[in-house]
Amino acid sequence: MGSNKHVAGSEEFTVDMSSERFTAEKQSKDKSGPVNELDYGYHPEMVDDFSRPRFFYDCCSSFLQCSVPPVMAFHLGSLGFLTPFKFESYKTEVAKVFEGNAAITLRSRLKVKVVKDMLQRTGQQSYSREQQQEQNGLLPHGHTNSETGKVTLQLQVLNEVVVDRGPSSYLSNVDLYLDGRLITSVQGDGVIVSTPTGSTAYAAAAGASMIHPNVPAIMVTPICPHSLSFRPIVVPAGVELMITLSPDARNTAWVSFDGRKRQEIQHGDCIKITTSCYPVPSICCHDLVYDWFESLAQCLHWNVRKRQNRLADISDSSDTEN
Amino acid sequence: MGSNKHVAGSEEFTVDMSSERFTAEKQSKDKSGPVNELDYGYHPEMVDDFSRPRFFYDCCSSFLQCSVPPVMAFHLGSLGFLTPFKFESYKTEVAKVFEGNAAITLRSRLKVKVVKDMLQRTGQQSYSREQQQEQNGLLPHGHTNSETGKVTLQLQVLNEVVVDRGPSSYLSNVDLYLDGRLITSVQGDGVIVSTPTGSTAYAAAAGASMIHPNVPAIMVTPICPHSLSFRPIVVPAGVELMITLSPDARNTAWVSFDGRKRQEIQHGDCIKITTSCYPVPSICCHDLVYDWFESLAQCLHWNVRKRQNRLADISDSSDTEN
Amino acid sequence: MGSNKHVAGSEEFTVDMSSERFTAEKQSKDKSGPVNELDYGYHPEMVDDFSRPRFFYDCCSSFLQCSVPPVMAFHLGSLGFLTPFKFESYKTEVAKVFEGNAAITLRSRLKVKVVKDMLQRTGQQSYSREQQQEQNGLLPHGHTNSETGKVTLQLQVLNEVVVDRGPSSYLSNVDLYLDGRLITSVQGDGVIVSTPTGSTAYAAAAGASMIHPNVPAIMVTPICPHSLSFRPIVVPAGVELMITLSPDARNTAWVSFDGRKRQEIQHGDCIKITTSCYPVPSICCHDLVYDWFESLAQCLHWNVRKRQNRLADISDSSDTEN
Amino acid sequence: MGSNKHVAGSEEFTVDMSSERFTAEKQSKDKSGPVNELDYGYHPEMVDDFSRPRFFYDCCSSFLQCSVPPVMAFHLGSLGFLTPFKFESYKTEVAKVFEGNAAITLRSRLKVKVVKDMLQRTGQQSYSREQQQEQNGLLPHGHTNSETGKVTLQLQVLNEVVVDRGPSSYLSNVDLYLDGRLITSVQGDGVIVSTPTGSTAYAAAAGASMIHPNVPAIMVTPICPHSLSFRPIVVPAGVELMITLSPDARNTAWVSFDGRKRQEIQHGDCIKITTSCYPVPSICCHDLVYDWFESLAQCLHWNVRKRQNRLADISDSSDTEN
């Protein structure tokens, strides 16, 4: 590949450790602000992505739609959940990993399919294979569906699938199926189906508990649900979830995948979600436990403690301490 | 009063500004750690309290059970919601206030009565007036009740009245009345009735929204309620709340007032709570708005922001920024 | 007015009680489903609205942008927070009210102004007065602003002003000012500024406590905030809130008013919100307390209780009950 | 074995399916209220427990501290999470199971050890083996600890271990270790370490997400934490958690196990918690999915939906539907 130069506005930089051809070089000349020039001698097919922010996601979500080699993710700026390594010391860090001092977290992903016209909807425009490719740069893995319908999109997501009301002011109304059985309807701003990795992202903002990436689970979190009692739930990895518009929904919904490929979902369409066979092996900086709690503290200020005691804490002290 | 010396282990120090006899002097000789010696020429009846932590509460809750002069609350250590002034610069601060540069927040308090045997309970031990005084150092304001029952305790609280399960492992079951009408039953660890001032204390820990002290309101917050839909509520100042054990409660409950005077509540007893006629005029350091939001940030890390963007934030950037 | 016939698909029906000319007649002939025909002899300017759902909001939000007469709101279907009266018995209900047996809740509203180009933004398209009228059917109350900028919209809202990320997948970044002082920045899906009436609507879905309509307050609730510690806050009625895009916001935001008039907010624009001088006097069915708690229970299933005890509740019973 | 008669005040009834000797007979003569007489020909060592409520817990928590045969749990009254079967039709239900039509959920349990004096505390009273037995009816599985200290209690819990402030008004301050590393300190009412089974009990009341019993995980949930950002976390089954008093804690804490065996924890003591090797095989009524969601709906009113639309839902309808 020679020495392609790329300007990355991103704060993330990911190295695929499966090859010894790794020759990343940081050449920080004439950059302004957080921009970095990289000389990157590997994976020419990734080159385009390098000029973009959010490289890790581009790697994990779009490009690597199947098996993923171990990745070693560097943060160029502030620490992220997925980027425990400092870029400044990348040579040392990489060396240590090659020496074999590295733990791996297998970050599970979700395999998502969007099926159009599955449920006998009429008057539906269909997309040609060509259109799809142009639209999202992805080859649909399958073109037909066992039931009926057309699989118009299939991809792997690392964080979450979000179904929401899109630009509409109306509440979305979607039905959630688990292993073929309707388990509940979601009335509200939408619903998030996330991996444990995604539990610290949008799902956390929507009120979910945070799940360590080693827990084999899928999290379902409503977004501003109309029902006060709609608490997030955690189901076992491997179940098949399906989301459709509720029959009585007066509006369409919108779906996005790791924040991307945003598209409309209409009556008759469905989104099928299950655990992917292709997790992302992510190299730990310290270990599974340390990295995660360090990220919780650094990225989310989880349980940041106030030195001072709550006032109630020192109550009655006149009675007991005198 | 001469020059009584007191050793305060507290991090709060409150000055009653209603008298020009104020002569507080900080004489910081031979102290160890956060201990301060104070020469205090006012309010001899407060003297005893000075050797105790949590002086502000002692003043506002116990001692000053009626009208309260404007108070100027200093923190000797870290900032608190009620103590916006730094003690180090108390002379300047006090001088400024005397020059008239001070805004006042009227912090509402709750007037609370515990009525025993109100609801035809039998086999109830009664407390003599003497016992009560010994128990809690308070003169009961009334001795009889318009209905029946005996008012065994009446006091003003600044933060909250907490009814909980006490040492029991059992859920508490209490009924909540508003202006004489049963509005709901609380099944869980208990319930907090708080002022806006108290909304940033225990009620916040239990999940309540935070209310500026100038909002004339009373907040009712369940503690770990059994019902998923039991959201905290805010009712207008001036309503009368009443709490009793539910008729089917298998256990007693415990009540405390600003974390103190903890006592058991049995079948037939009731706790009556309303807004006190005697708010605490608290002198602002800057102004009502600044002081409160400063405290939210400092004491509760409210909306501490992470510099880094959420990953989802920079999604789709490949589409838009290229 | 004669006998205009209107077909209302709505489940709400509101009667303005300030005039004895009230002659509402329900003539339920040839309707299908929940559709009702009404003979309505008052307020001809409301006539158009009658053929629309959400009449109460149309009345309170759009039409009656100033002083509002007492309203008596009927639900044609299921009970709502704003519609305590059953339509079936409207004659009796109205008669009772005319006899003087009615309590009034003054439901506060928010006065909202959208100011364009207030903060020296350039390259901004300006709207002519004519365009505005066509766009939103409202006469802007003022055309110029004391600072600079153009008031492009001014209206009264009964529930809430919502600023969100609109169709974008990006987090919104807005700054919140209170009485001219920046108090915090909101990073997340958006922010809701609501009345107590609105506290049981979208704000409740976003996690806020619920505020009785008689509490003079404004509630600020973040929508899926990035920060775990961003709890909703309640500030006194009468403060002036202002919302702008954060200087570093990479995207625009969208604002809507009681779910309507959705429009984009760009750098330099601002939204000013304060308590309106024109609350909506709403006639209670029973009284302030009963109506509200009845609605909480009926509409939100607030603290719906399970008969069965929590299992932990009966623990240790072998020890104590034997 | 004969025909022991037992009077159960409980609403649960559990059948051990591992033996064909099962001969339970319900002989509902001369009982009052929910009391049932049972003729039960199995497991004479359980007999004592039969006269007590909360039998399932007694079985799973106390008695069966090692391997547990498949259990089939009947509710005698209202449905519970652990008791999907109706007692009325127990003969049919049992027959079906014997025919082989049954799915099993392995409900994980926590193995908990209380170690006294582990951390060089002095002046500590030690318990003799006899005292322990009297105190809690349990044989300690081990008597010494690999480090130092004395294991004073070891048991299996099905729901949760709760560490709280006990009868004190003071906040508890405990440190939480994961695999030997301090991960955070808990300042608040306490902390809950629960199984997925327990996630729908006390942990749900404290705000946790709800975890399907098939997810191999341990949930850590703070109770009314002082820190606004202390969200519950879910860690993988198999990690070892340890809880101690924080060195600066001014008070002791109290621990209980499935709501029982409540005891004080002092400086130097520690509680060790890990996933038990002995899950409870629990026979499903329908299947894993159905039973759990049915229980969520029935027991917790999870996402109970209001028929009526939120008002905001039908906003703008005048614009779109006319």
Side-chain angles (χ1 to χ4, degrees):
Chain A
M1 271 307 299
S3 63
N4 294 301
K5 299 245 167 90
H6 306 285
V7 179
S10 161
E11 298 204 334
E12 291 167 17
F13 173 57
T14 306
V15 176
D16 174 343
M17 301 305 298
S18 62
S19 159
E20 67 294 328
R21 282 190 294 144
F22 172 80
T23 61
E25 297 271 328
K26 193 189 174 203
Q27 304 173 339
S28 46
K29 46 194 169 196
D30 63 27
K31 61 188 164 76
S32 58
V35 178
N36 300 283
E37 287 192 41
L38 301 170
D39 194 339
Y40 192 69
Y42 186 60
H43 257 324
E45 63 277 42
M46 277 188 190
V47 162
D48 271 358
D49 281 317
F50 252 93
S51 54
R52 296 171 189 172
R54 207 149 173 275
F55 176 61
F56 191 91
Y57 276 79
D58 282 335
C59 291
C60 299
S61 297
S62 321
F63 174 75
L64 302 160
Q65 289 298 317
C66 48
S67 175
V68 181
V71 291
M72 184 174 178
F74 293 85
H75 61 93
L76 301 184
S78 51
L79 182 65
F81 266 88
L82 297 168
T83 54
F85 292 98
K86 279 191 187 176
F87 191 81
E88 291 74 38
S89 50
Y90 81 97
K91 283 191 174 170
T92 332
E93 305 280 16
V94 170
K96 271 196 292 186
V97 170
F98 276 116
E99 285 161 16
N101 302 316
I104 294 272
T105 301
L106 282 183
R107 292 186 175 273
S108 71
R109 295 193 290 175
L110 298 172
K111 185 177 76 177
V112 195
K113 276 193 287 192
V114 178
V115 185
K116 291 281 181 188
D117 283 323
M118 182 175 158
L119 312 163
Q120 307 98 311
R121 188 164 45 88
T122 58
Q124 160 80 6
Q125 71 285 13
S126 63
Y127 300 100
S128 72
R129 187 170 175 133
E130 286 68 39
Q131 277 177 312
Q132 287 164 37
Q133 290 186 19
E134 278 179 23
Q135 280 184 335
N136 53 37
L138 287 182
L139 275 184
H141 285 206
H143 210 216
T144 54
N145 185 270
S146 61
E147 284 136 315
T148 68
K150 221 171 292 176
V151 176
T152 61
L153 179 65
Q154 174 165 332
L155 77 172
Q156 316 275 329
V157 303
L158 184 58
N159 267 354
E160 74 271 297
V161 178
V162 177
V163 177
D164 63 26
R165 56 184 165 87
S168 164
S169 293
Y170 294 68
L171 289 175
S172 69
N173 275 273
V174 298
D175 287 346
L176 179 67
Y177 296 79
L178 195 154
D179 287 347
R181 179 179 289 136
L182 176 64
I183 54 168
T184 201
S185 293
V186 185
Q187 192 180 21
D189 277 3
V191 64
I192 303 163
V193 178
S194 64
T195 61
T197 295
S199 75
T200 48
Y202 192 16
S209 298
M210 290 170 304
I211 308 180
H212 189 278
N214 269 34
V215 176
I218 300 176
M219 175 165 249
V220 177
T221 307
I223 310 172
C224 295
H226 186 56
S227 158
L228 295 185
S229 61
F230 198 163
R231 196 69 69 77
I233 56 169
V234 182
V235 294
V239 301
E240 188 177 53
L241 295 166
M242 187 174 81
I243 298 175
T244 65
L245 278 190
S246 298
D248 58 346
R250 290 186 288 177
N251 300 281
T252 61
W254 290 73
V255 62
S256 64
F257 312 91
D258 284 345
R260 311 195 310 174
K261 313 292 172 207
R262 200 164 177 77
Q263 56 192 266
E264 202 170 7
I265 292 298
Q266 298 175 305
H267 281 289
D269 301 346
C270 80
I271 304 157
K272 293 187 169 188
I273 305 168
T274 192
T275 304
S276 165
C277 306
Y278 307 113
V280 175
S282 141
I283 297 173
C284 295
C285 182
H286 294 88
D287 62 50
L288 302 181
V289 173
Y290 184 91
D291 279 20
W292 194 61
F293 284 101
E294 180 72 7
S295 297
L296 283 181
Q298 294 296 321
C299 304
L300 290 174
H301 298 299
W302 178 70
N303 192 22
V304 171
R305 296 181 70 216
K306 193 186 141 215
R307 300 282 145 62
Q308 192 184 18
N309 289 316
R310 184 163 80 187
L311 291 167
D313 196 10
I314 46 174
S315 74
D316 272 322
S317 42
S318 49
D319 304 331
T320 57
E321 291 182 23
N322 266 6
Chain B
M1 272 308 297
S3 61
N4 295 300
K5 300 247 167 86
H6 306 284
V7 179
S10 163
E11 299 204 334
E12 291 167 17
F13 173 56
T14 306
V15 176
D16 176 344
M17 302 303 299
S18 62
S19 161
E20 67 293 329
R21 282 190 295 144
F22 172 81
T23 62
E25 295 273 327
K26 194 191 176 200
Q27 304 174 338
S28 46
K29 46 194 168 196
D30 63 26
K31 59 190 167 72
S32 57
V35 178
N36 301 281
E37 285 193 42
L38 301 169
D39 194 339
Y40 190 69
Y42 187 61
H43 258 324
E45 63 275 42
M46 277 189 188
V47 162
D48 272 358
D49 281 316
F50 252 93
S51 54
R52 295 171 188 171
R54 209 152 170 273
F55 176 60
F56 191 89
Y57 275 79
D58 281 336
C59 290
C60 297
S61 296
S62 321
F63 174 74
L64 302 161
Q65 288 297 317
C66 49
S67 174
V68 181
V71 292
M72 184 175 179
F74 294 86
H75 61 93
L76 300 184
S78 52
L79 182 64
F81 266 88
L82 297 167
T83 53
F85 292 99
K86 278 191 185 175
F87 191 81
E88 292 74 37
S89 49
Y90 81 97
K91 282 191 176 172
T92 331
E93 305 280 18
V94 170
K96 273 195 290 186
V97 170
F98 275 116
E99 284 161 17
N101 302 317
I104 294 272
T105 301
L106 280 183
R107 292 186 175 273
S108 71
R109 294 193 291 175
L110 298 172
K111 186 178 76 177
V112 195
K113 276 193 288 193
V114 177
V115 185
K116 291 281 180 188
D117 284 325
M118 181 175 160
L119 311 163
Q120 307 98 311
R121 188 163 46 87
T122 58
Q124 161 80 6
Q125 70 285 11
S126 61
Y127 300 100
S128 72
R129 187 170 176 136
E130 286 68 38
Q131 277 177 312
Q132 286 165 37
Q133 291 187 18
E134 280 180 21
Q135 278 185 335
N136 53 38
L138 287 183
L139 274 184
H141 285 207
H143 210 217
T144 54
N145 184 270
S146 61
E147 286 138 311
T148 68
K150 221 169 294 176
V151 176
T152 61
L153 179 65
Q154 173 165 335
L155 76 172
Q156 317 276 329
V157 305
L158 185 58
N159 266 355
E160 74 272 297
V161 177
V162 177
V163 177
D164 63 27
R165 57 184 163 86
S168 165
S169 294
Y170 294 67
L171 290 175
S172 70
N173 275 275
V174 298
D175 287 346
L176 179 67
Y177 296 79
L178 196 154
D179 287 346
R181 180 179 288 137
L182 177 64
I183 54 168
T184 201
S185 293
V186 184
Q187 193 180 20
D189 277 2
V191 64
I192 303 163
V193 178
S194 64
T195 61
T197 295
S199 75
T200 48
Y202 193 15
S209 299
M210 289 169 305
I211 308 180
H212 190 278
N214 269 33
V215 176
I218 299 177
M219 175 165 249
V220 177
T221 306
I223 309 172
C224 296
H226 185 56
S227 157
L228 296 184
S229 60
F230 198 163
R231 198 66 70 78
I233 55 170
V234 182
V235 294
V239 302
E240 188 177 54
L241 295 166
M242 188 174 81
I243 297 175
T244 66
L245 278 191
S246 299
D248 58 345
R250 289 187 287 178
N251 299 282
T252 61
W254 289 74
V255 62
S256 63
F257 312 91
D258 284 346
R260 310 194 311 173
K261 313 292 173 206
R262 199 167 178 74
Q263 57 193 263
E264 201 169 9
I265 292 299
Q266 298 176 304
H267 281 288
D269 301 345
C270 80
I271 303 156
K272 294 186 169 189
I273 305 168
T274 192
T275 305
S276 165
C277 307
Y278 307 114
V280 176
S282 140
I283 297 172
C284 295
C285 184
H286 294 87
D287 62 50
L288 302 180
V289 172
Y290 184 92
D291 279 20
W292 195 60
F293 284 101
E294 180 71 8
S295 297
L296 283 181
Q298 295 296 321
C299 304
L300 291 175
H301 298 300
W302 179 69
N303 192 22
V304 170
R305 295 181 71 216
K306 194 186 141 217
R307 301 281 145 62
Q308 192 183 17
N309 289 317
R310 184 164 80 189
L311 291 167
D313 195 12
I314 46 174
S315 73
D316 271 324
S317 41
S318 49
D319 305 331
T320 57
E321 290 182 24
N322 265 8
Chain C
M1 273 306 300
S3 64
N4 294 299
K5 300 251 168 85
H6 306 285
V7 179
S10 161
E11 297 205 335
E12 292 166 17
F13 172 56
T14 306
V15 176
D16 174 343
M17 302 303 299
S18 62
S19 162
E20 68 293 329
R21 283 190 293 145
F22 173 81
T23 63
E25 296 272 328
K26 194 191 174 200
Q27 303 174 339
S28 46
K29 47 194 169 198
D30 65 28
K31 60 191 166 73
S32 58
V35 178
N36 301 283
E37 287 193 41
L38 301 170
D39 194 339
Y40 191 70
Y42 187 61
H43 258 323
E45 63 276 42
M46 276 188 190
V47 162
D48 271 359
D49 282 317
F50 251 94
S51 54
R52 296 170 188 172
R54 209 151 170 273
F55 176 61
F56 191 90
Y57 275 80
D58 282 336
C59 289
C60 298
S61 297
S62 322
F63 173 74
L64 300 161
Q65 289 297 317
C66 48
S67 175
V68 181
V71 292
M72 185 174 177
F74 294 85
H75 61 93
L76 300 184
S78 51
L79 181 64
F81 266 88
L82 298 167
T83 53
F85 292 98
K86 279 191 186 176
F87 190 81
E88 292 72 39
S89 49
Y90 82 97
K91 282 191 176 171
T92 331
E93 304 280 17
V94 169
K96 271 195 291 184
V97 170
F98 276 116
E99 285 161 14
N101 302 318
I104 294 272
T105 301
L106 281 184
R107 293 186 175 272
S108 71
R109 295 194 291 176
L110 297 172
K111 186 178 76 177
V112 195
K113 278 193 287 193
V114 177
V115 185
K116 289 281 180 189
D117 283 324
M118 181 175 157
L119 310 164
Q120 307 98 309
R121 190 163 44 89
T122 59
Q124 160 80 5
Q125 70 284 14
S126 61
Y127 299 100
S128 72
R129 186 167 175 137
E130 285 69 39
Q131 279 177 310
Q132 288 164 36
Q133 289 185 20
E134 280 179 22
Q135 279 184 335
N136 54 40
L138 287 183
L139 274 183
H141 285 207
H143 208 216
T144 54
N145 184 272
S146 60
E147 285 138 313
T148 67
K150 221 170 294 176
V151 176
T152 61
L153 178 65
Q154 174 165 333
L155 75 172
Q156 317 276 330
V157 304
L158 185 58
N159 266 356
E160 74 271 298
V161 178
V162 177
V163 177
D164 63 25
R165 57 185 165 86
S168 164
S169 294
Y170 294 67
L171 290 175
S172 70
N173 274 274
V174 298
D175 288 344
L176 179 67
Y177 296 78
L178 195 154
D179 287 346
R181 178 179 289 137
L182 176 65
I183 54 169
T184 202
S185 293
V186 184
Q187 193 180 20
D189 277 3
V191 63
I192 303 163
V193 178
S194 64
T195 62
T197 295
S199 75
T200 48
Y202 193 14
S209 298
M210 289 169 306
I211 308 180
H212 189 278
N214 269 34
V215 177
I218 300 176
M219 176 165 248
V220 178
T221 306
I223 310 171
C224 296
H226 185 57
S227 158
L228 296 185
S229 60
F230 198 163
R231 197 67 69 77
I233 55 171
V234 182
V235 294
V239 302
E240 188 178 54
L241 294 166
M242 187 174 82
I243 297 175
T244 65
L245 279 190
S246 299
D248 58 345
R250 290 185 289 179
N251 299 282
T252 62
W254 290 72
V255 62
S256 63
F257 312 91
D258 283 346
R260 311 195 309 173
K261 313 293 173 206
R262 199 166 177 76
Q263 57 192 265
E264 201 171 8
I265 293 299
Q266 298 176 305
H267 281 288
D269 301 346
C270 80
I271 303 155
K272 292 185 170 190
I273 306 167
T274 192
T275 305
S276 165
C277 306
Y278 307 113
V280 175
S282 141
I283 296 172
C284 295
C285 184
H286 294 87
D287 61 50
L288 303 180
V289 172
Y290 184 91
D291 279 20
W292 195 61
F293 284 101
E294 180 71 6
S295 296
L296 284 181
Q298 294 297 320
C299 304
L300 292 174
H301 297 300
W302 178 69
N303 193 22
V304 170
R305 296 181 69 217
K306 193 185 142 219
R307 299 282 145 61
Q308 192 183 18
N309 289 316
R310 183 163 80 189
L311 291 167
D313 196 11
I314 46 173
S315 72
D316 272 324
S317 44
S318 49
D319 305 330
T320 58
E321 290 182 24
N322 265 8
Chain D
M1 281 297 306
S3 61
N4 294 301
K5 299 245 167 85
H6 306 285
V7 179
S10 162
E11 297 204 334
E12 292 165 16
F13 172 57
T14 306
V15 176
D16 175 345
M17 302 304 297
S18 62
S19 161
E20 66 292 330
R21 281 190 295 146
F22 173 82
T23 62
E25 296 274 327
K26 192 189 175 202
Q27 304 174 340
S28 45
K29 46 194 168 196
D30 64 26
K31 59 189 164 75
S32 58
V35 178
N36 301 282
E37 286 193 42
L38 301 169
D39 194 339
Y40 190 69
Y42 187 61
H43 257 325
E45 64 276 42
M46 277 188 189
V47 162
D48 271 357
D49 282 314
F50 252 94
S51 53
R52 297 171 187 171
R54 206 150 174 275
F55 177 61
F56 191 90
Y57 276 80
D58 281 337
C59 289
C60 298
S61 297
S62 319
F63 175 74
L64 301 161
Q65 289 297 317
C66 48
S67 175
V68 181
V71 291
M72 184 174 179
F74 294 86
H75 61 92
L76 299 184
S78 51
L79 181 64
F81 265 89
L82 298 167
T83 53
F85 292 98
K86 278 191 189 176
F87 190 81
E88 292 73 37
S89 49
Y90 81 97
K91 282 191 176 170
T92 332
E93 304 281 17
V94 169
K96 272 196 291 185
V97 170
F98 275 116
E99 285 161 15
N101 303 317
I104 294 272
T105 301
L106 281 183
R107 293 188 175 270
S108 71
R109 294 193 290 175
L110 297 172
K111 185 178 76 178
V112 194
K113 277 194 287 192
V114 177
V115 185
K116 290 281 180 189
D117 283 323
M118 181 174 158
L119 311 163
Q120 305 100 312
R121 188 163 45 87
T122 59
Q124 160 78 4
Q125 71 285 12
S126 61
Y127 300 100
S128 73
R129 186 169 176 136
E130 285 68 37
Q131 279 177 311
Q132 288 165 35
Q133 291 187 18
E134 279 181 23
Q135 280 185 336
N136 53 38
L138 287 181
L139 274 184
H141 285 208
H143 210 216
T144 53
N145 183 271
S146 60
E147 285 139 312
T148 67
K150 222 170 293 178
V151 176
T152 61
L153 180 65
Q154 174 165 332
L155 76 172
Q156 316 276 329
V157 303
L158 184 58
N159 267 354
E160 74 272 297
V161 178
V162 176
V163 177
D164 63 25
R165 58 184 163 86
S168 165
S169 293
Y170 295 67
L171 291 175
S172 70
N173 275 273
V174 298
D175 287 345
L176 179 67
Y177 296 79
L178 195 154
D179 287 346
R181 180 179 289 137
L182 176 65
I183 53 168
T184 202
S185 293
V186 184
Q187 193 180 20
D189 277 3
V191 64
I192 304 162
V193 178
S194 65
T195 61
T197 296
S199 75
T200 49
Y202 194 14
S209 299
M210 289 169 304
I211 308 180
H212 190 278
N214 268 34
V215 176
I218 299 176
M219 174 165 250
V220 178
T221 306
I223 310 171
C224 296
H226 185 57
S227 158
L228 296 183
S229 59
F230 199 162
R231 196 68 70 76
I233 54 171
V234 182
V235 294
V239 301
E240 187 177 55
L241 295 166
M242 186 174 82
I243 297 176
T244 65
L245 278 191
S246 299
D248 58 346
R250 290 186 289 177
N251 300 282
T252 61
W254 289 73
V255 62
S256 63
F257 311 91
D258 283 345
R260 311 198 307 175
K261 313 294 172 206
R262 199 164 178 76
Q263 57 193 263
E264 200 171 9
I265 292 299
Q266 298 175 304
H267 281 288
D269 301 345
C270 80
I271 303 155
K272 294 186 170 189
I273 306 167
T274 192
T275 304
S276 165
C277 307
Y278 307 113
V280 176
S282 139
I283 297 172
C284 295
C285 184
H286 294 89
D287 61 51
L288 303 181
V289 173
Y290 184 91
D291 279 19
W292 195 61
F293 284 100
E294 180 71 6
S295 296
L296 284 181
Q298 294 296 321
C299 304
L300 292 175
H301 298 299
W302 179 69
N303 192 23
V304 171
R305 296 182 70 218
K306 195 186 139 216
R307 299 282 145 62
Q308 192 184 17
N309 290 315
R310 184 163 79 187
L311 291 167
D313 196 11
I314 48 173
S315 73
D316 271 325
S317 42
S318 49
D319 304 330
T320 57
E321 291 183 23
N322 265 8

